[in-house]
Amino acid sequence: MVQAKNKQDKLLKKNQEKEDDSSAGSLQEDQLRADDLENAERVKVSQKIKGTKRLTQTAERDPKEAVTKFDRHTFDPGFLQMTTKEVTYKQLRDELKKYGIISDLVAEVNAGKEATILVAHLRGAPLIVKAFRLQNTCHSRAKGNPQMRASNIAQNEYDRLTRAFNAGMRVPTAARKINNVIIMSFIGTDWEPAPQLRNAIIEEPEEVFDEIIEQLRIMYRKAKLIHGDFSEYNILLHKGKPVIIDFPQAIDISLVTARYTHIRKRNLQVLQKDIETIGKFFEKEYNLTYEFDEVYRYIAGTDTDQEKVDYSIEEIEKMIGLKTGQPVFRDKAISSENYQR
Ligand SMILES: Nc1ncnc2c1ncn2[C@@H]1O[C@H](COP(=O)(O)OP(=O)(O)O)[C@@H](O)[C@H]1O
Ligand SMILES: [Mg+2]
């Protein structure tokens, strides 16, 4: 994990030493350490990334301000309270601090249509908080309890990230999942998140493309997953190498046996779409050519011998729940723990 420089590094070391000799620090002690490190809040999180807006430091925000708004809909992490009241930065911060997962929120990185991404720190070390939204403009047709739905999506991402990590992929480490929030390792340097591939200057495009294809191969063969939303938006370039993110919609292929021919075919088509999307990006931006069939076979082996089907992109997106917001995975038993404190 990337750590803060100089003073914070020293403080972190000191704290870790402290932690080693007293195995369980009391909450009060943690609080003191967090106060010690309040300068982490003031760390300059300037944004040098081409084309993206500057990070907004949460420390500069009105603590009563809602975490984010998307069109007419308001953000509601939900686990904080079962009402429709907006959740403020202060509430989110207080709640996560209470769980002892973060010392403080630092900055907002991104507010997409499905989740808000924030940088937090735990005793000076940066972390990513991904809070899934309950309400969502394109999820108006989603059925069921919104808290449960958001919690299931968070669980999907947590499980799939963990599986990808265990398979040896270059992904953030999923640390905790609480209701509709997941905490993962921060990918970046000196408090600056690594840029998305689309905003990065790739010096060795061929090597990066090869590494990405390698990641797809590990994902398919070892993690038994198909990403489903693979693109230059969901790959970060960290120290010249790709890191794959954003897994809530990833398809679990481990349970799909040969009997389910149509599901296998659909899955393979999603994989083809993933390859084509990233291939197109490299063709367009870096004039790189590649042999689709060769790459496809490198990833999926003899599975590629399956007869081709022709679903439209819209149909695929609908099937894997990308645009509809329907829960993607019905195979997962819903644990009441997920949304109860
Ligand atoms: N672990 C991480 N480290 C650094 N930046 C991250 C991390 N996770 C997400 N981000 C940033 O937030 C953006 C959105 O995250 P993502 O998981 O793709 O959510 P969304 O569902 O909103 O697309 C990413 O493109 C990236 O810039
Ligand atoms: Mg994304």
Side-chain angles (χ1 to χ4, degrees):
M1 194 186 295
V2 182
Q3 282 155 8
K5 266 186 185 163
N6 311 332
K7 194 176 168 200
Q8 276 174 25
D9 234 8
K10 275 183 214 146
L11 273 165
L12 188 69
K13 242 194 206 150
K14 213 172 80 190
N15 284 335
Q16 268 165 357
E17 280 160 15
K18 256 198 244 167
E19 208 170 35
D20 289 342
D21 45 41
S22 66
S23 54
S26 71
L27 197 68
Q28 211 181 1
E29 266 180 66
D30 284 351
Q31 188 61 54
L32 285 175
R33 288 177 210 166
D35 289 344
D36 267 353
L37 281 168
E38 70 165 23
N39 60 331
E41 250 190 349
R42 280 185 256 113
V43 164
K44 199 162 169 281
V45 274
S46 70
Q47 178 66 290
K48 293 195 207 88
I49 302 165
K50 182 177 70 149
T52 48
K53 66 176 190 313
R54 285 177 69 90
L55 296 178
T56 322
Q57 279 189 255
T58 54
E60 284 169 7
R61 283 178 184 266
D62 175 358
K64 291 204 193 80
E65 193 183 333
V67 172
T68 188
K69 284 182 180 153
F70 188 80
D71 287 355
R72 291 161 290 128
H73 297 271
T74 52
F75 177 70
D76 180 359
F79 66 90
L80 301 172
Q81 51 207 66
M82 299 288 279
T83 71
T84 53
K85 233 178 128 198
E86 282 179 25
V87 167
T88 63
Y89 278 98
K90 187 175 180 307
Q91 284 171 308
L92 184 67
R93 172 186 286 162
D94 291 350
E95 191 69 12
L96 293 177
K97 274 167 96 165
K98 209 160 74 195
Y99 277 97
I101 309 161
I102 65 162
S103 302
D104 214 337
L105 295 176
V106 177
E108 184 183 303
V109 186
N110 188 293
K113 64 182 191 295
E114 196 166 57
T116 295
I117 311 279
L118 300 140
V119 180
H121 81 94
L122 179 64
R123 293 167 208 151
L127 285 171
I128 288 284
V129 173
K130 182 168 181 177
F132 286 89
R133 197 159 301 132
L134 300 186
Q135 304 191 5
N136 187 318
T137 48
C138 50
H139 285 191
S140 48
R141 284 192 294 129
K143 292 191 198 106
N145 176 333
Q147 268 91 0
M148 209 189 285
R149 198 193 135 271
S151 174
N152 284 343
I153 295 175
Q155 187 70 50
N156 283 340
E157 173 143 43
Y158 182 88
D159 291 349
R160 278 144 186 84
L161 261 181
T162 306
R163 219 155 96 181
F165 182 83
N166 289 339
M169 279 183 69
R170 296 176 50 81
V171 295
T173 323
R176 286 286 289 274
K177 182 263 172 195
I178 297 167
N179 298 289
N180 55 331
V181 174
I182 57 173
I183 316 287
M184 65 181 107
S185 61
F186 172 82
I187 309 297
T189 313
D190 294 340
W191 298 88
E192 196 152 323
Q196 296 172 352
L197 213 56
R198 70 191 176 106
N199 292 324
I201 295 148
I202 308 175
E203 273 160 20
E204 307 276 0
E206 276 175 48
E207 274 173 34
V208 172
F209 184 71
D210 283 350
E211 182 59 56
I212 287 169
I213 298 308
E214 200 58 42
Q215 293 298 310
L216 281 176
R217 181 173 150 114
I218 303 171
M219 179 154 36
Y220 188 87
R221 296 188 177 210
K222 286 207 184 150
K224 302 272 180 212
L225 291 172
I226 297 173
H227 191 285
D229 192 12
F230 204 71
S231 74
E232 60 275 24
Y233 287 76
N234 288 330
I235 303 172
L236 307 181
L237 193 75
H238 182 48
K239 298 184 177 161
K241 289 202 152 211
V243 178
I244 319 298
I245 59 161
D246 207 359
F247 280 71
Q249 71 294 313
I251 299 172
D252 178 357
I253 55 169
S254 67
L255 301 170
V256 183
T257 60
R259 211 151 58 87
Y260 301 109
T261 319
H262 70 288
I263 298 179
R264 291 185 71 195
K265 283 183 186 167
R266 180 209 70 178
N267 289 348
L268 284 171
Q269 199 165 4
V270 176
L271 175 65
Q272 288 168 27
K273 188 198 77 156
D274 279 355
I275 300 168
E276 275 163 6
T277 308
I278 200 64
K280 251 185 221 141
F281 169 77
F282 278 91
E283 276 174 347
K284 194 165 158 265
E285 298 291 326
Y286 293 92
N287 267 328
L288 219 116
T289 50
Y290 74 105
E291 272 304 318
F292 175 82
D293 287 342
E294 204 180 290
V295 168
Y296 181 38
R297 206 176 173 86
Y298 180 71
I299 295 166
T302 52
D303 289 358
T304 57
D305 299 340
Q306 291 271 327
E307 195 189 314
K308 283 200 174 175
V309 280
D310 283 311
Y311 292 115
S312 68
I313 297 289
E314 287 75 24
E315 279 170 315
I316 295 170
E317 282 176 338
K318 211 163 158 188
M319 277 189 277
I320 64 171
L322 262 184
K323 287 280 157 70
T324 61
Q326 297 293 343
V328 184
F329 302 99
R330 286 164 229 271
D331 54 341
K332 182 133 198 84
I334 297 165
S335 153
S336 59
E337 266 174 32
N338 292 349
Y339 46 92
Q340 277 173 9
R341 278 224 231 115

